[in-house]
Amino acid sequence: MTSMSVWVRSRTALSMAALLALAACGGGGGDSASTGGTPSTVAVSGVASKGLLLNAVVTAYAVKADGTKGDKLASVTTSATDGSYTLTGLPSGALVLLEVTPQAGTQMVDEATNSTLNLNAASPFTLRAAVNLDATGTTSAQITPFTNMAVTLAEANGGLKPDVVAASNGSVSAFAGISILTDKPTFANVGGDVVATNAAGAKLAALSALASDSALGCNAADQLSRVACVVTKLADSTTSDDVATALNSLPTSDISIADPVEQAKATAPVTTPPTTVTVVAGAQTAIQEAKTLIASVRATATALSNQSDTTSLAARVQAVADASRGVAQPLDDSTMTLLTALSEAITAHEDPATGLNFQLDSGVWWNGQPVSSGCRYFTDNTYVNAAPARTAYLGCRVIQRVGYASGQNFVVYHRLGVTDGGAAGYTVHTKLARAPITLAPMTPPALGVETSLSGVAPRILTVISDQNSLTATGELAPGAESSWDTGSEEVVVLGSHQKVAITLSEVAGATATRYNLSGDVSVYQDAAVQSRVSLKSGSYIEEENVAGPTQPKAANLILEAQLKTGYKIGGTLVLSNFEQTATHNGPKNAVLNGYLTDMTGSAKLFDGTLTLIMPTDTGLNWDVKLDGTLVTTGANTLTVNLTALQPTLGEVTVTGRYTQGATTFLLTLLSSEATPANDRLSLTTTAGGVGFVAQRSDTVVPIKKGATVLGQFNVDSSRLVYADGTYEQF
């Protein structure tokens, strides 16, 4: 069964495929168009049967504007084994008339008598079908007594015109209980008997049985003439009621079909035969639009969300997500804090008025109490003994996080040991550490025994300072981030160390200080590179000029980042609305104007603007916006303008539009974990207004243009039947 819904679960950049994941599965036996460029010619295929007509001639004719038979377009001989045919080179989107006629060597497999009837060119037997060809691909068209009935009905109601033919095929399909054009009749030989194996075959077998029924007055000496008589009476509006009555009088005990749906269709009585049809102007054009809509949805779904296809966007995004799991990201929040603290410490050291110890702007607040970063001077580069005067050795503690685990508060911080080497620059030792912390009102925080999180030996960096700028090359201790599990906070160390080659300059303003950044940062796990980022000129971080611990105010990073797996992200990343609370540490708003690639590092997944907004600090509600192109394989690139909102946990809304080729679709999705029965998907073309609204609780979903129903999708059978009698199986 196919679900016409989209479930959006992730709030990360990797959720972009899910925004368009319109669930669908591959179809078969139906009337389905491809989504490539429109060819000048198309094909039609099916079987000729009343039973199967072997070695018969199928001819396609054009139809004149007045609804009458036109010039011959093509012809072909049916298969000698199963009555199948394929006609190619037909005009795209045209209405054609198909005729089956006998020739020397033609045979009919008769189910009623279990015999093969021989025909020739003079045999009085012809079947017809009228079909509106699809704009692309191959259209399904069986040619049977029922399609012959539909042609006669169309001729009596205005002629063979697209809308009339669509209505006539639909009316006869409703009468017969099958899709007369797309339900291919199938048979099997069981113990020497020809047995129908689906509903379409059973309906034709019933017509054969009527050839021996005296109620219709078909009393010719030979079976072929009697069959031809039944076909004629079925098509004739003055006698079709008699045929319907006779069909419903036939016993059904000898029908045995494995598929319960087909069995039910086979045994269902036929309805009153149609003698007139309701023709809706433009209906056939609208039906073609509906088919184009569904074909596009299916192609888009396959290209985006088919996980079994490694070329689909979903599979490629998932591959990136899988490979990225557990990989340390470059330039995390703690590393940015460390670099700005280093710049601030060196700037303070170069000011002769700076005292023996001083606070840094970085730090955190915990329950209204500041836990500040700070520096002091030491006697040597062991940074153990405090100095009574300013020296060349400055030691700093850069607070990154205060947390709570196992009944104890703890603090995570970087240690900085800065040695002033004069003209040779500064040598900087860094370590990442953790320690218990006691916090009490009106009392300075007290730290317990320190535990190193980055090994015994510090990482060493060389810094050259020039007025308000510095250049750093060498290694830094790793960054850190927090994770929560059942109310306890744990520290995640991001790799073993970092290699940097970066330039940072400080520009003080009236209300904020800007730190301009450029260069490269790589995260390592021992000898293996985990990730890297290159910052271009124009990148910066801003901090507000306020007393006490500060948070970044904004960041503008012009970058290209790459994970060890090959995945890249590039462009301008703007971060804003920073905060530090018990549940959130970092920016609440992020906008990337750039691109994301797949594992190759060169093939793009997305190119445009990706926005992530978290209105509250809980992380349970968020907005994700995509405005750009999703680059798919095997389908047209999609231009998207979509917004996904999670106002509360488990409640997701996706709205906007996307364009595939020349067609633009309006999309609305509502998904609720609390009330899944109310999940709803709406998709409509902007040009033609063809679309559908599907709710999870629906058993039938109509495809409409305004108030006109163009088709209906049956959830139980996973079949979409159009108003012209054709269908698609999902």
Side-chain angles (χ1 to χ4, degrees), residues 376-399:
R376 68 180 304 161
Y377 286 97
F378 291 85
T379 58
D380 55 39
N381 64 0
T382 62
Y383 305 101
V384 173
N385 300 312
R390 286 168 55 97
T391 67
Y393 309 106
L394 184 65
C396 307
R397 182 185 289 121
V398 181
I399 303 296

PDB file of all heavy atoms in Angstrom, residues 376-399:
ATOM      1  N   ARG A 376      46.263  34.981  34.915  1.00  0.00           N
ATOM      2  CA  ARG A 376      47.197  35.536  35.879  1.00  0.00           C
ATOM      3  C   ARG A 376      48.622  35.185  35.453  1.00  0.00           C
ATOM      4  O   ARG A 376      48.826  34.295  34.633  1.00  0.00           O
ATOM      5  CB  ARG A 376      46.911  35.028  37.284  1.00  0.00           C
ATOM      6  CG  ARG A 376      47.179  33.560  37.490  1.00  0.00           C
ATOM      7  CD  ARG A 376      46.876  33.153  38.924  1.00  0.00           C
ATOM      8  NE  ARG A 376      47.647  33.967  39.867  1.00  0.00           N
ATOM      9  CZ  ARG A 376      47.336  34.092  41.160  1.00  0.00           C
ATOM     10  NH1 ARG A 376      46.276  33.468  41.649  1.00  0.00           N
ATOM     11  NH2 ARG A 376      48.100  34.824  41.962  1.00  0.00           N
ATOM     12  N   TYR A 377      49.600  35.890  36.028  1.00  0.00           N
ATOM     13  CA  TYR A 377      50.999  35.679  35.675  1.00  0.00           C
ATOM     14  C   TYR A 377      51.637  34.628  36.586  1.00  0.00           C
ATOM     15  O   TYR A 377      51.306  34.499  37.768  1.00  0.00           O
ATOM     16  CB  TYR A 377      51.776  36.988  35.766  1.00  0.00           C
ATOM     17  CG  TYR A 377      51.465  37.913  34.617  1.00  0.00           C
ATOM     18  CD1 TYR A 377      50.524  38.923  34.760  1.00  0.00           C
ATOM     19  CD2 TYR A 377      52.100  37.758  33.386  1.00  0.00           C
ATOM     20  CE1 TYR A 377      50.225  39.767  33.692  1.00  0.00           C
ATOM     21  CE2 TYR A 377      51.809  38.589  32.329  1.00  0.00           C
ATOM     22  CZ  TYR A 377      50.862  39.595  32.476  1.00  0.00           C
ATOM     23  OH  TYR A 377      50.563  40.414  31.419  1.00  0.00           O
ATOM     24  N   PHE A 378      52.583  33.859  35.966  1.00  0.00           N
ATOM     25  CA  PHE A 378      53.286  32.795  36.687  1.00  0.00           C
ATOM     26  C   PHE A 378      54.789  33.009  36.547  1.00  0.00           C
ATOM     27  O   PHE A 378      55.260  33.771  35.697  1.00  0.00           O
ATOM     28  CB  PHE A 378      52.877  31.430  36.146  1.00  0.00           C
ATOM     29  CG  PHE A 378      51.457  31.057  36.478  1.00  0.00           C
ATOM     30  CD1 PHE A 378      50.403  31.481  35.677  1.00  0.00           C
ATOM     31  CD2 PHE A 378      51.175  30.294  37.599  1.00  0.00           C
ATOM     32  CE1 PHE A 378      49.097  31.146  35.986  1.00  0.00           C
ATOM     33  CE2 PHE A 378      49.868  29.952  37.918  1.00  0.00           C
ATOM     34  CZ  PHE A 378      48.818  30.376  37.112  1.00  0.00           C
ATOM     35  N   THR A 379      55.531  32.257  37.378  1.00  0.00           N
ATOM     36  CA  THR A 379      56.982  32.455  37.408  1.00  0.00           C
ATOM     37  C   THR A 379      57.695  31.798  36.232  1.00  0.00           C
ATOM     38  O   THR A 379      58.790  32.229  35.848  1.00  0.00           O
ATOM     39  CB  THR A 379      57.563  31.874  38.712  1.00  0.00           C
ATOM     40  OG1 THR A 379      57.218  30.476  38.797  1.00  0.00           O
ATOM     41  CG2 THR A 379      57.011  32.622  39.928  1.00  0.00           C
ATOM     42  N   ASP A 380      57.123  30.724  35.673  1.00  0.00           N
ATOM     43  CA  ASP A 380      57.773  30.043  34.555  1.00  0.00           C
ATOM     44  C   ASP A 380      56.707  29.332  33.719  1.00  0.00           C
ATOM     45  O   ASP A 380      55.504  29.412  34.002  1.00  0.00           O
ATOM     46  CB  ASP A 380      58.838  29.064  35.044  1.00  0.00           C
ATOM     47  CG  ASP A 380      58.281  28.063  36.050  1.00  0.00           C
ATOM     48  OD1 ASP A 380      57.126  27.606  35.862  1.00  0.00           O
ATOM     49  OD2 ASP A 380      58.984  27.734  37.023  1.00  0.00           O
ATOM     50  N   ASN A 381      57.202  28.598  32.691  1.00  0.00           N
ATOM     51  CA  ASN A 381      56.250  27.991  31.751  1.00  0.00           C
ATOM     52  C   ASN A 381      55.652  26.665  32.240  1.00  0.00           C
ATOM     53  O   ASN A 381      55.043  25.946  31.464  1.00  0.00           O
ATOM     54  CB  ASN A 381      56.892  27.811  30.380  1.00  0.00           C
ATOM     55  CG  ASN A 381      58.049  26.839  30.386  1.00  0.00           C
ATOM     56  OD1 ASN A 381      58.391  26.280  31.435  1.00  0.00           O
ATOM     57  ND2 ASN A 381      58.670  26.641  29.224  1.00  0.00           N
ATOM     58  N   THR A 382      55.848  26.370  33.555  1.00  0.00           N
ATOM     59  CA  THR A 382      55.087  25.247  34.115  1.00  0.00           C
ATOM     60  C   THR A 382      53.712  25.725  34.576  1.00  0.00           C
ATOM     61  O   THR A 382      52.819  24.906  34.802  1.00  0.00           O
ATOM     62  CB  THR A 382      55.820  24.627  35.313  1.00  0.00           C
ATOM     63  OG1 THR A 382      55.959  25.609  36.347  1.00  0.00           O
ATOM     64  CG2 THR A 382      57.193  24.111  34.892  1.00  0.00           C
ATOM     65  N   TYR A 383      53.558  27.039  34.719  1.00  0.00           N
ATOM     66  CA  TYR A 383      52.281  27.668  35.098  1.00  0.00           C
ATOM     67  C   TYR A 383      51.730  27.076  36.388  1.00  0.00           C
ATOM     68  O   TYR A 383      50.537  26.790  36.518  1.00  0.00           O
ATOM     69  CB  TYR A 383      51.249  27.554  33.966  1.00  0.00           C
ATOM     70  CG  TYR A 383      51.761  28.115  32.666  1.00  0.00           C
ATOM     71  CD1 TYR A 383      52.235  27.272  31.664  1.00  0.00           C
ATOM     72  CD2 TYR A 383      51.816  29.486  32.463  1.00  0.00           C
ATOM     73  CE1 TYR A 383      52.741  27.782  30.488  1.00  0.00           C
ATOM     74  CE2 TYR A 383      52.321  30.012  31.283  1.00  0.00           C
ATOM     75  CZ  TYR A 383      52.787  29.157  30.300  1.00  0.00           C
ATOM     76  OH  TYR A 383      53.297  29.673  29.134  1.00  0.00           O
ATOM     77  N   VAL A 384      52.656  26.915  37.371  1.00  0.00           N
ATOM     78  CA  VAL A 384      52.264  26.366  38.677  1.00  0.00           C
ATOM     79  C   VAL A 384      52.315  27.453  39.751  1.00  0.00           C
ATOM     80  O   VAL A 384      51.365  27.613  40.524  1.00  0.00           O
ATOM     81  CB  VAL A 384      53.173  25.178  39.064  1.00  0.00           C
ATOM     82  CG1 VAL A 384      52.870  24.721  40.489  1.00  0.00           C
ATOM     83  CG2 VAL A 384      53.016  24.042  38.073  1.00  0.00           C
ATOM     84  N   ASN A 385      53.422  28.203  39.795  1.00  0.00           N
ATOM     85  CA  ASN A 385      53.624  29.187  40.854  1.00  0.00           C
ATOM     86  C   ASN A 385      53.263  30.585  40.374  1.00  0.00           C
ATOM     87  O   ASN A 385      53.800  31.077  39.365  1.00  0.00           O
ATOM     88  CB  ASN A 385      55.077  29.170  41.330  1.00  0.00           C
ATOM     89  CG  ASN A 385      55.468  27.809  41.882  1.00  0.00           C
ATOM     90  OD1 ASN A 385      54.743  27.229  42.695  1.00  0.00           O
ATOM     91  ND2 ASN A 385      56.615  27.299  41.443  1.00  0.00           N
ATOM     92  N   ALA A 386      52.348  31.226  41.101  1.00  0.00           N
ATOM     93  CA  ALA A 386      51.938  32.581  40.747  1.00  0.00           C
ATOM     94  C   ALA A 386      53.093  33.552  40.941  1.00  0.00           C
ATOM     95  O   ALA A 386      53.892  33.429  41.885  1.00  0.00           O
ATOM     96  CB  ALA A 386      50.751  33.003  41.607  1.00  0.00           C
ATOM     97  N   ALA A 387      53.216  34.510  40.061  1.00  0.00           N
ATOM     98  CA  ALA A 387      54.313  35.481  40.113  1.00  0.00           C
ATOM     99  C   ALA A 387      53.881  36.724  40.876  1.00  0.00           C
ATOM    100  O   ALA A 387      52.719  37.138  40.808  1.00  0.00           O
ATOM    101  CB  ALA A 387      54.743  35.852  38.701  1.00  0.00           C
ATOM    102  N   PRO A 388      54.811  37.344  41.582  1.00  0.00           N
ATOM    103  CA  PRO A 388      54.477  38.576  42.324  1.00  0.00           C
ATOM    104  C   PRO A 388      54.453  39.809  41.427  1.00  0.00           C
ATOM    105  O   PRO A 388      54.052  40.885  41.862  1.00  0.00           O
ATOM    106  CB  PRO A 388      55.597  38.657  43.358  1.00  0.00           C
ATOM    107  CG  PRO A 388      56.761  37.976  42.707  1.00  0.00           C
ATOM    108  CD  PRO A 388      56.178  36.875  41.884  1.00  0.00           C
ATOM    109  N   ALA A 389      54.915  39.644  40.181  1.00  0.00           N
ATOM    110  CA  ALA A 389      54.937  40.771  39.244  1.00  0.00           C
ATOM    111  C   ALA A 389      54.668  40.229  37.837  1.00  0.00           C
ATOM    112  O   ALA A 389      54.654  39.020  37.600  1.00  0.00           O
ATOM    113  CB  ALA A 389      56.294  41.470  39.304  1.00  0.00           C
ATOM    114  N   ARG A 390      54.458  41.149  36.911  1.00  0.00           N
ATOM    115  CA  ARG A 390      54.220  40.732  35.522  1.00  0.00           C
ATOM    116  C   ARG A 390      55.451  40.006  34.994  1.00  0.00           C
ATOM    117  O   ARG A 390      56.579  40.430  35.220  1.00  0.00           O
ATOM    118  CB  ARG A 390      53.907  41.940  34.645  1.00  0.00           C
ATOM    119  CG  ARG A 390      52.523  42.520  34.863  1.00  0.00           C
ATOM    120  CD  ARG A 390      52.403  43.880  34.170  1.00  0.00           C
ATOM    121  NE  ARG A 390      52.738  43.811  32.762  1.00  0.00           N
ATOM    122  CZ  ARG A 390      51.851  43.699  31.756  1.00  0.00           C
ATOM    123  NH1 ARG A 390      50.559  43.625  32.045  1.00  0.00           N
ATOM    124  NH2 ARG A 390      52.247  43.652  30.509  1.00  0.00           N
ATOM    125  N   THR A 391      55.226  38.901  34.292  1.00  0.00           N
ATOM    126  CA  THR A 391      56.317  38.115  33.709  1.00  0.00           C
ATOM    127  C   THR A 391      55.984  37.811  32.255  1.00  0.00           C
ATOM    128  O   THR A 391      55.013  38.323  31.696  1.00  0.00           O
ATOM    129  CB  THR A 391      56.487  36.783  34.468  1.00  0.00           C
ATOM    130  OG1 THR A 391      55.333  35.968  34.240  1.00  0.00           O
ATOM    131  CG2 THR A 391      56.670  37.006  35.967  1.00  0.00           C
ATOM    132  N   ALA A 392      56.802  36.954  31.659  1.00  0.00           N
ATOM    133  CA  ALA A 392      56.540  36.522  30.277  1.00  0.00           C
ATOM    134  C   ALA A 392      55.587  35.337  30.232  1.00  0.00           C
ATOM    135  O   ALA A 392      55.283  34.833  29.143  1.00  0.00           O
ATOM    136  CB  ALA A 392      57.854  36.156  29.591  1.00  0.00           C
ATOM    137  N   TYR A 393      55.082  34.908  31.402  1.00  0.00           N
ATOM    138  CA  TYR A 393      54.286  33.674  31.460  1.00  0.00           C
ATOM    139  C   TYR A 393      52.873  33.977  31.972  1.00  0.00           C
ATOM    140  O   TYR A 393      52.690  34.312  33.152  1.00  0.00           O
ATOM    141  CB  TYR A 393      54.973  32.649  32.356  1.00  0.00           C
ATOM    142  CG  TYR A 393      56.426  32.447  31.987  1.00  0.00           C
ATOM    143  CD1 TYR A 393      57.439  32.966  32.786  1.00  0.00           C
ATOM    144  CD2 TYR A 393      56.776  31.776  30.812  1.00  0.00           C
ATOM    145  CE1 TYR A 393      58.766  32.818  32.443  1.00  0.00           C
ATOM    146  CE2 TYR A 393      58.105  31.616  30.466  1.00  0.00           C
ATOM    147  CZ  TYR A 393      59.094  32.138  31.269  1.00  0.00           C
ATOM    148  OH  TYR A 393      60.416  31.995  30.923  1.00  0.00           O
ATOM    149  N   LEU A 394      51.929  33.864  31.076  1.00  0.00           N
ATOM    150  CA  LEU A 394      50.534  34.178  31.391  1.00  0.00           C
ATOM    151  C   LEU A 394      49.706  32.895  31.299  1.00  0.00           C
ATOM    152  O   LEU A 394      49.683  32.222  30.261  1.00  0.00           O
ATOM    153  CB  LEU A 394      49.989  35.219  30.408  1.00  0.00           C
ATOM    154  CG  LEU A 394      48.569  35.738  30.642  1.00  0.00           C
ATOM    155  CD1 LEU A 394      48.478  36.506  31.959  1.00  0.00           C
ATOM    156  CD2 LEU A 394      48.143  36.642  29.478  1.00  0.00           C
ATOM    157  N   GLY A 395      49.067  32.523  32.391  1.00  0.00           N
ATOM    158  CA  GLY A 395      48.213  31.339  32.397  1.00  0.00           C
ATOM    159  C   GLY A 395      46.750  31.730  32.503  1.00  0.00           C
ATOM    160  O   GLY A 395      46.389  32.619  33.289  1.00  0.00           O
ATOM    161  N   CYS A 396      45.883  31.082  31.717  1.00  0.00           N
ATOM    162  CA  CYS A 396      44.458  31.443  31.679  1.00  0.00           C
ATOM    163  C   CYS A 396      43.592  30.195  31.772  1.00  0.00           C
ATOM    164  O   CYS A 396      43.984  29.106  31.325  1.00  0.00           O
ATOM    165  CB  CYS A 396      44.097  32.184  30.392  1.00  0.00           C
ATOM    166  SG  CYS A 396      45.122  33.627  30.025  1.00  0.00           S
ATOM    167  N   ARG A 397      42.427  30.379  32.350  1.00  0.00           N
ATOM    168  CA  ARG A 397      41.400  29.343  32.321  1.00  0.00           C
ATOM    169  C   ARG A 397      40.215  29.912  31.542  1.00  0.00           C
ATOM    170  O   ARG A 397      39.643  30.929  31.930  1.00  0.00           O
ATOM    171  CB  ARG A 397      40.978  28.938  33.729  1.00  0.00           C
ATOM    172  CG  ARG A 397      39.930  27.818  33.739  1.00  0.00           C
ATOM    173  CD  ARG A 397      39.425  27.512  35.141  1.00  0.00           C
ATOM    174  NE  ARG A 397      40.461  26.852  35.934  1.00  0.00           N
ATOM    175  CZ  ARG A 397      40.950  27.323  37.063  1.00  0.00           C
ATOM    176  NH1 ARG A 397      40.530  28.497  37.513  1.00  0.00           N
ATOM    177  NH2 ARG A 397      41.868  26.660  37.743  1.00  0.00           N
ATOM    178  N   VAL A 398      39.849  29.234  30.425  1.00  0.00           N
ATOM    179  CA  VAL A 398      38.751  29.693  29.561  1.00  0.00           C
ATOM    180  C   VAL A 398      37.546  28.783  29.811  1.00  0.00           C
ATOM    181  O   VAL A 398      37.525  27.627  29.378  1.00  0.00           O
ATOM    182  CB  VAL A 398      39.166  29.661  28.075  1.00  0.00           C
ATOM    183  CG1 VAL A 398      38.025  30.166  27.197  1.00  0.00           C
ATOM    184  CG2 VAL A 398      40.424  30.497  27.861  1.00  0.00           C
ATOM    185  N   ILE A 399      36.573  29.290  30.527  1.00  0.00           N
ATOM    186  CA  ILE A 399      35.398  28.495  30.900  1.00  0.00           C
ATOM    187  C   ILE A 399      34.541  28.230  29.649  1.00  0.00           C
ATOM    188  O   ILE A 399      34.196  29.153  28.903  1.00  0.00           O
ATOM    189  CB  ILE A 399      34.558  29.217  31.965  1.00  0.00           C
ATOM    190  CG1 ILE A 399      35.418  29.531  33.190  1.00  0.00           C
ATOM    191  CG2 ILE A 399      33.340  28.379  32.345  1.00  0.00           C
ATOM    192  CD1 ILE A 399      35.938  28.321  33.910  1.00  0.00           C
TER     193      ILE A 399
END
